[in-house]
């Protein structure tokens, strides 16, 4: 069979995950990930399962120089809106608690997280999409410069 000219745009092989689970870290199982490093010209898409476990961990506060979409989709076949867990997501200085499947749009420059997912009763499909060429960029909040306030007389 002749080589197909667009086959390089299709990714079926799971990546070798660079993310190692710590003792109490997230119970994530990466399914597929594509970005400009794996497919030239692609934006970033990552898909993973979040499995039930004692402590799914915390993803710390950070910011991106590009937009991001987060998704957490429950797998209850009788009620797809049921997340089957509790997700706590900080956006800016506001805390959001979700127990339903959700999408969150995070514009570039908006500090988001920490993110914790607890009480996981059944697997959750998680994905993030970042509109950037190449590998996603981020800065941890702890690494941001401290804003100095002007001195008053």
């Amino acid at each position: 069979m002749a080589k197909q000219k667009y086959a390089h745009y299709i990714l079926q092989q799971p990546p070798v995950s660079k993310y190692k689970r710590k003792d109490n870290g997230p119970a994530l199982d990466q399914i597929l990930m594509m970005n400009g490093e794996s497919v030239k010209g692609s934006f970033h898409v990552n898909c993973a399962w979040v499995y039930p476990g004692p402590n799914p961990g915390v993803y710390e506060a950070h910011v991106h120089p590009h937009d991001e979409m987060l998704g957490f989709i429950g797998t209850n076949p009788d009620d797809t809106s049921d997340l089957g867990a509790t997700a706590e997501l900080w956006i800016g200085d506001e805390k959001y608690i979700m127990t339903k499947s959700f999408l969150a749009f995070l514009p570039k420059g908006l500090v988001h997280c920490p993110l914790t997912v607890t009480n996981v009763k059944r697997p959750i499909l998680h994905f993030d999409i970042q509109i950037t060429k190449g590998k996603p960029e981020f800065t941890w909040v702890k690494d941001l410069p401290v804003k100095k306030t002007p001195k008053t007389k």
Side-chain angles (χ1 to χ4, degrees), residues 3-151:
K3 183 175 179 183
Q4 295 177 293
K5 61 183 172 180
Y6 303 112
H8 63 283
Y9 291 132
I10 300 171
L11 181 69
Q12 298 182 73
Q13 182 77 17
V16 175
S17 181
K18 298 176 186 172
Y19 308 104
K20 300 295 180 194
R21 182 179 177 158
K22 296 180 182 174
D23 292 339
N24 66 343
L28 289 175
D29 186 9
Q30 199 167 37
I31 303 167
L32 290 169
M33 179 176 67
M34 180 186 286
N35 60 41
E37 289 185 325
S38 57
V39 176
K40 187 176 180 180
S42 173
F43 52 88
H44 174 83
V45 178
N46 179 52
C47 301
W49 289 112
V50 178
Y51 289 121
N55 180 4
V58 176
Y59 204 74
E60 296 298 337
H62 59 280
V63 64
H64 303 279
H66 46 265
D67 296 338
E68 178 178 26
M69 176 77 71
L70 290 179
F72 285 81
I73 311 299
T75 57
N76 179 348
D78 299 320
D79 181 2
T80 55
S81 71
D82 175 20
L83 184 59
T86 302
E88 177 182 302
L89 172 64
W90 284 81
I91 302 175
D93 61 354
E94 297 177 350
K95 177 171 68 170
Y96 296 86
I97 305 288
M98 281 81 63
T99 58
K100 303 233 178 253
S101 296
F102 70 94
L103 299 174
F105 174 66
L106 304 161
K108 66 182 178 182
L110 179 61
V111 174
H112 55 283
C113 294
L115 167 66
T116 57
V117 182
T118 57
N119 303 316
V120 181
K121 298 174 187 79
R122 68 184 66 81
I124 298 166
L125 177 62
H126 162 62
F127 66 86
D128 70 276
I129 300 170
Q130 298 183 38
I131 308 302
T132 183
K133 301 287 182 176
K135 184 176 162 185
E137 299 175 40
F138 62 91
T139 303
W140 299 109
V141 168
K142 65 180 180 55
D143 295 333
L144 290 174
V146 176
K147 290 182 182 176
K148 294 184 180 182
T149 55
K151 293 182 181 180

